[in-house]
Amino acid sequence: MLQFSRKKMLGLAFAGLSALVSLSPAAGYAADLKIGLYADVSTLDPHFNNLAPNISLSSHLFDALVNVDANGHLIPGLATSWKAIDQLTWEFKLRHGVKFSDGSNLTAEDVVFSLDRPATLTNSPGPFTSYTKQIISKQVVDPYTVRLKTATPYGPLALDVSTIFIVSKKAAQNATTDDFNSGKALVGTGPFKFASFKRGDRIELVRNDVYWGEKPAWDKVTFRILTSDGARLAALLAGEVDAIENVPPADLAKLKTNPKFTLAQKISWRTLFWTLDQSRDKSPDITDKNGKPLDKNPLKDVRVRQAISKAINRQALVDRTLEGLAVPASNIVAPGILGYADTLKVEKYDPEGAKKLLAEAGYPNGFGITLHGPNNRYINDERVVQTVAQFLNRVGIQAKVETLPLAVYFGKARAGEYSAALLGWGTLAGDFGLRTLLGTTNPDTGWGSWNWGKYSNPKLDQLVQSSLASVEQKQRQDFARQGAVLALNDYALIPLYHQYATWALRKGLKYTPRTDEFTFAYQFHPE
């Protein structure tokens, strides 16, 4: 049997205590953070596929010129400042002393290369070029100054470039997307560095000790891909992960009363609304009460659209169907987002008023309609469609329900196969939302790319164009608000609610919840 002296035993005890202290919050770093993600990450190439899970993960490895804070406001990133020096030119001043994870220095050449790169990825399934196509030229003034020129005045350029991550020109110049996925080309300025990537299973990152900003509290972060709600919750309860995003609504009450866990919540940028077919004289899902197709599309009448809005009890929808995980909406963007109009109020539940409007529009006995929606995209989305159908039936609109998996639903909705379709949309600027959701459809400019109802109003188009062309923020805000008021007073779409984003964490952790719903490991901290 080995014999230990008192001195040696004390030394070992002290060493063990020191090891524990090194993992404690007081020491500044903890060993490992494990997070359960609800959606798969398809690539680590930050310019290849414009999907939210990919963007969220890329934010750990790379930086953009401009960052977005937890409330959806623009803040300095790799650029310490930006300004319009004339109507067509924006100047970005770069942060000094920033190094890539390989120790090389960030320069303006890396910025120009990164802004050019998305257009070279011609096989991209989700291009980032919508954020760069406004830029017609790039000028390197000096190693820390870049000027970007646009063909016409364009106010949202700083918001656009907040989605373009800056990569190392040296590492990425001849790199393929596979080189990023393998880690070979993953040289960034973000708070973490690449460790491993097993698609559909996990991504492992380690702290970047040359990061220019506040160092993350974790030596290592593991993101587990747990797309099943049950599997994600089970992993949290079993201690296999420290936190999860997209908490299943049915399990919220159980987690709230469990002393081992805490919740972080915030109203997200995602607004849920109904898009209504307003372009066709005959609409595919509109019938009389006997199921015979109507020759006239009632959704083209603003009184019918207003009646549908009045028929919906939004507070009951939020309280019962969504289990409190939303707030009733009056706008297409969440409160605090550029273009949110305070003058717009949540439509009051008024079934008698809805019946009166229907009678005035020539439908005293209502009509038949099928409501379409996804069944695996938003919080309790299938139940939301069913609940709205019940509200419409009470005012004489005979509503049927059909829901589909997202992969099928989006394609059919965008192809115009539905009369009424549920959509959720998140944006950090109201004029962006109006342009995409309600602008007159134009494939050449990208306007109306998600305008499922084919709404068209030249006055709205002009207000949105004026907003986008405003380089002065207050002027842009005013135009965006005017556009929102015009569109929503015309019931161009029917807002329902703003969704909550919810994270669940083990006790002893805290997280800054974000309006954009992203999960950033570097914003988790030990308490």
Side-chain angles (χ1 to χ4, degrees), residues 389-407:
Q390 292 170 12
F391 289 137
L392 296 187
N393 275 299
R394 292 173 189 171
V395 300
I397 299 175
Q398 187 173 288
K400 299 178 182 178
V401 168
E402 183 177 339
T403 61
L404 301 95
L406 184 69

Side-chain angles (χ1 to χ4, degrees), residues 457-494:
N457 187 330
K459 291 182 180 178
L460 175 64
D461 292 344
Q462 184 55 56
L463 285 169
V464 174
Q465 184 60 58
S466 297
S467 179
L468 295 171
S470 300
V471 296
E472 198 278 312
Q473 189 77 348
K474 184 181 183 304
Q475 187 179 53
R476 183 183 170 202
Q477 177 85 276
D478 289 343
F479 280 126
R481 284 175 175 164
Q482 290 176 48
V485 170
L486 175 67
L488 292 169
N489 281 342
D490 199 23
Y491 295 88
L493 50 74
I494 309 297

Side-chain angles (χ1 to χ4, degrees), residues 309-490:
S309 183
K310 285 183 175 294
I312 300 170
N313 187 335
R314 290 165 177 79
Q315 193 61 57
L317 184 68
V318 163
D319 292 342
R320 300 169 194 168
T321 307
L322 292 160
E323 303 176 58
L325 288 178
V327 293
S330 61
N331 278 245
I332 65 169
V333 293
I337 299 294
L338 183 145
Y340 182 88
D342 294 310
T343 55
L344 292 169
K345 304 302 179 185
V346 175
E347 186 84 63
K348 291 183 178 179
Y349 176 52
D350 183 6
E352 293 306 314
K355 292 176 183 178
K356 183 179 178 181
L357 284 165
L358 288 171
E360 290 176 2
Y363 303 94
N365 299 314
F367 53 88
I369 189 171
T370 300
L371 303 181
H372 284 90
N375 56 24
N376 63 347
R377 179 64 181 96
Y378 313 116
I379 297 173
N380 291 352
D381 43 14
E382 185 170 31
R383 288 175 56 196
V384 166
V385 180
Q386 292 168 345
T387 302
V388 171
Q390 292 170 12
F391 289 137
L392 296 187
N393 275 299
R394 292 173 189 171
V395 300
I397 299 175
Q398 187 173 288
K400 299 178 182 178
V401 168
E402 183 177 339
T403 61
L404 301 95
L406 184 69
V408 179
Y409 172 72
F410 267 7
K412 288 179 174 290
R414 295 187 77 167
E417 295 188 22
Y418 304 141
S419 298
L422 184 71
L423 178 60
W425 192 262
T427 179
L428 294 177
D431 48 12
F432 275 18
L434 291 169
R435 177 183 66 181
T436 304
L437 299 169
L438 294 173
T440 299
T441 303
N442 184 336
D444 293 333
T445 62
W447 280 56
S449 57
W450 286 78
N451 185 350
W452 291 351
K454 295 297 183 283
Y455 176 81
S456 180
N457 187 330
K459 291 182 180 178
L460 175 64
D461 292 344
Q462 184 55 56
L463 285 169
V464 174
Q465 184 60 58
S466 297
S467 179
L468 295 171
S470 300
V471 296
E472 198 278 312
Q473 189 77 348
K474 184 181 183 304
Q475 187 179 53
R476 183 183 170 202
Q477 177 85 276
D478 289 343
F479 280 126
R481 284 175 175 164
Q482 290 176 48
V485 170
L486 175 67
L488 292 169
N489 281 342
D490 199 23

Side-chain angles (χ1 to χ4, degrees), residues 264-268 325 379 499-503 513-515 517:
Q265 291 183 301
K266 193 177 188 69
I267 295 175
S268 86
L325 288 178
I379 297 173
Q499 218 173 245
Y500 268 105
T502 305
W503 294 259
R514 299 182 57 85
T515 192
E517 301 185 6

Side-chain angles (χ1 to χ4, degrees), residues 240-286:
E240 296 173 6
V241 296
D242 302 301
I244 61 172
E245 60 182 9
N246 273 44
V247 179
D251 298 304
L252 272 176
K254 179 167 50 177
L255 287 170
K256 281 181 180 178
T257 57
N258 191 325
K260 295 181 179 179
F261 302 101
T262 60
L263 298 177
Q265 291 183 301
K266 193 177 188 69
I267 295 175
S268 86
W269 61 351
R270 194 179 306 280
T271 305
L272 274 288
F273 50 83
W274 286 104
T275 63
L276 303 175
D277 178 11
Q278 297 165 60
S279 66
R280 292 173 288 192
D281 292 331
K282 284 188 176 183
S283 195
D285 300 315
I286 303 289

Side-chain angles (χ1 to χ4, degrees), residues 81-100:
S81 65
W82 54 94
K83 65 179 180 180
I85 60 175
D86 60 46
Q87 289 292 302
L88 303 178
T89 309
W90 285 85
E91 182 177 88
F92 293 81
K93 289 289 187 180
L94 302 186
R95 192 178 298 275
H96 287 238
V98 175
K99 292 184 179 295
F100 285 102

